[in-house]
Amino acid sequence: LGTRIAAQCGPPAAMDVRGAIRGLFQAALLREPTREELGRLLEFHSRRGELQRESADAANPALPWIAMARALLNLEEFFTRE
């Protein structure tokens, strides 16, 4: 899921991060993120990107999206849809 979102977004410099987060959230939880959730995920994406740039995995721009997808897929809301 994270790899798919990264591929759809294109290169990091041209990426619409807010739109991509909304798409990822919609794919995982079938709803739009709240303003608070969007803010937290923007921060999460930024921090993961910083960690990635400092690591040996800097060549893979999908890694922050993969981490975010894993986080969303591990939410209780994902497992307990009504």
Side-chain angles (χ1 to χ4, degrees):
L1 182 59
T3 304
R4 185 181 88 195
I5 294 295
Q8 289 173 349
C9 292
M15 187 178 294
D16 173 18
V17 175
R18 287 177 186 267
I21 289 172
R22 285 187 176 101
L24 181 59
F25 211 90
Q26 186 72 274
L29 302 175
L30 303 177
R31 69 175 178 86
E32 290 288 319
T34 65
R35 190 177 313 189
E36 182 180 350
E37 290 167 334
L38 181 60
R40 287 183 179 190
L41 290 173
L42 283 166
E43 185 177 334
F44 180 86
H45 182 270
S46 176
R47 286 183 179 177
R48 290 298 301 184
E50 289 172 12
L51 290 172
Q52 178 192 353
R53 284 187 290 279
E54 295 170 1
S55 75
D57 295 324
N60 187 352
L63 290 180
W65 295 108
I66 292 168
M68 189 179 303
R70 286 179 179 164
L72 289 175
L73 295 176
N74 279 296
L75 291 174
E76 182 179 349
E77 182 177 347
F78 179 78
F79 291 106
T80 58
R81 289 188 197 160
E82 294 182 22

